[in-house]
């Protein structure tokens, strides 16, 4: 399910600059991983027409939607992306399209206010964050139409049920692009720190991480492990800057020392300076 060779990457577009930036990121990844990029532009009826006019109006709106989205991508210098017009509601339409295409990931911008009806990616990206069962990548609005070459991936690791999926996806992704990874393991040594206590916590956390990183070794992915003694939100952003990582990968929900990972993911969607990939846990119930 999480392979990337000959996969389809789906990006949500609405004619806005932020959506084009997300498409640019998806296209850059696709070119390195032998994937195709398809763009989903969602349309919704403002007024319900009479029954005889429904089919003709739907066809007209669908054609106009494709034209607007396609032109916005061409204006941004992005060619080779097939645009698919799908009928809203927006979040559901994007998820259904990703499922229909068996997309390896769904990519959206953090914000968007393009000319297409109903696609306001500021709210949609947050809704998708808690409902997508496929890897979701949110590209921040501070990005550009010329994304930097992805050279390092930062992975947040805890010991929860979702951690195995996060590591598996990250290892496959890094291997497909030939990039190294930095694994961040947060460990709280507690308020009292007797001599040697922090060192023992670090040693335990590193050993625990190494035991879980078999997929990286099997795929020949170069990696390093960082143990941080602070809030995971701070640790991930600071470590991304220090290691010049171009993508942060995190699970949607977590346990253990990375407790409250859902809150961490929500925070990073708003504040991460680099694209954020969010992986759903096994058998999660969708959040309405």
């Amino acid at each position: 399910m999480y392979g990337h060779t000959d996969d389809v990457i789906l990006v949500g577009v609405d004619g806005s600059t932020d959506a084009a930036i997300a498409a640019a990121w998806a296209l850059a990844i696709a070119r390195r991983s032998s994937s195709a990029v398809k763009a989903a532009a969602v349309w919704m009826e403002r007024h319900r027409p009479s029954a005889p006019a429904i089919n003709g109006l739907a066809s007209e709106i669908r054609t106009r939607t494709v034209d607007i989205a396609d032109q916005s991508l061409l204006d941004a210098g992005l060619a080779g992306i097939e645009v698919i017009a799908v009928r809203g509601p927006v979040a559901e339409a994007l998820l259904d399209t990703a499922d229909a295409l068996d997309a390896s990931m769904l990519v959206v911008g953090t914000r968007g206010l393009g000319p297409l009806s109903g696609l306001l990616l500021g709210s949609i990206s947050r809704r998708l964050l808690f409902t997508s069962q496929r890897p979701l990548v949110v590209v921040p609005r501070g990005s550009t139409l010329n994304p930097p070459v992805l050279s390092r991936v930062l992975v947040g690791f805890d010991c929860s049920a979702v951690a195995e999926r996060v590591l598996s996806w990250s290892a496959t992704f890094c291997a497909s692009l030939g990039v190294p990874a930095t694994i961040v393991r947060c460990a709280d040594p507690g308020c009292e720190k007797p001599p040697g206590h922090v060192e023992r916590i670090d040693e335990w956390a590193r050993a625990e991480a190494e035991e879980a990183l078999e997929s990286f070794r099997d795929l020949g992915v170069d990696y390093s492990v960082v143990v941080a003694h602070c809030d995971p939100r701070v640790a991930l952003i600071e470590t991304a800057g220090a290691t010049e990582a171009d993508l942060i990968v995190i699970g949607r929900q977590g346990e253990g020392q990375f407790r409250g990972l859902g809150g961490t993911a929500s925070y990073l969607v708003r504040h991460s300076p680099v694209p954020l990939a969010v992986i759903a846990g096994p058998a999660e119930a969708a959040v309405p």
Side-chain angles (χ1 to χ4, degrees):
M1 180 178 178
Y2 294 114
H4 293 271
T5 302
D6 297 323
D7 278 332
V8 172
I9 298 174
L10 181 67
V11 58
V13 296
D14 65 352
S16 68
T17 299
D18 286 343
I21 287 173
W25 185 89
L27 193 59
I29 296 300
R31 286 170 174 166
R32 295 178 60 183
S33 59
S34 300
S35 301
V37 177
K38 295 191 178 184
V42 182
W43 61 274
M44 299 178 66
E45 297 169 350
R46 294 182 181 274
H47 305 286
R48 180 166 296 278
S50 60
I54 289 179
N55 291 336
L57 180 59
S59 178
E60 179 182 342
I61 294 176
R62 187 178 296 110
T63 298
R64 179 175 176 273
T65 298
V66 170
D67 290 343
I68 291 175
D70 191 52
Q71 189 60 52
S72 72
L73 295 175
L74 292 176
D75 290 344
L78 305 174
I81 299 179
E82 178 187 352
V83 177
I84 305 169
V86 290
R87 190 173 179 178
V90 182
E92 289 79 357
L94 291 175
L95 294 174
D96 289 346
T97 304
D99 287 342
L101 295 174
D102 194 21
S104 62
M105 68 178 77
L106 173 59
V107 181
V108 296
T110 50
R111 294 181 183 276
L113 190 58
L116 298 179
S117 172
L119 189 48
L120 307 177
L121 288 183
S123 58
I124 298 304
S125 60
R126 286 185 55 78
R127 179 170 176 80
L128 292 172
L129 173 65
F130 294 104
T131 56
S132 177
Q133 295 302 305
R134 294 178 182 274
L136 172 72
V137 176
V138 182
V139 180
R141 67 180 317 183
S143 304
T144 71
L145 288 168
N146 297 298
V149 176
L150 193 150
S151 59
R152 178 171 292 274
V153 174
L154 186 74
V155 184
F157 167 70
D158 59 5
C159 284
S160 64
V162 71
E164 183 177 350
R165 292 168 66 90
V166 170
L167 294 177
S168 176
W169 186 89
S170 300
T172 302
F173 182 83
C174 288
S176 70
L177 271 65
V179 299
T182 297
I183 314 300
V184 178
R185 178 72 170 95
C186 283
D188 182 6
C191 298
E192 297 184 4
K193 304 177 181 63
H197 179 64
V198 174
E199 289 76 9
R200 289 194 296 272
I201 290 293
D202 282 2
E203 183 178 352
W204 165 79
R206 288 181 182 278
E208 188 179 50
E210 287 289 349
E211 185 177 349
L213 295 174
E214 184 177 356
S215 57
F216 285 80
R217 294 189 289 273
D218 288 345
L219 293 174
V221 176
D222 183 30
Y223 68 86
S224 58
V225 177
V226 173
V227 179
H229 302 294
C230 61
D231 187 304
R233 297 170 295 183
V234 175
L236 290 167
I237 290 180
E238 289 188 349
T239 307
T243 61
E244 299 184 334
D246 306 296
L247 175 70
I248 296 175
V249 185
I250 192 171
R252 186 159 70 203
Q253 295 180 358
E255 302 290 347
Q257 301 296 339
F258 247 145
R259 189 169 296 281
L261 210 54
T264 299
S266 181
Y267 177 88
L268 290 176
V269 162
R270 300 191 303 272
H271 299 290
S272 174
V274 299
L276 174 71
V278 180
I279 311 300
E284 279 189 24
V287 177

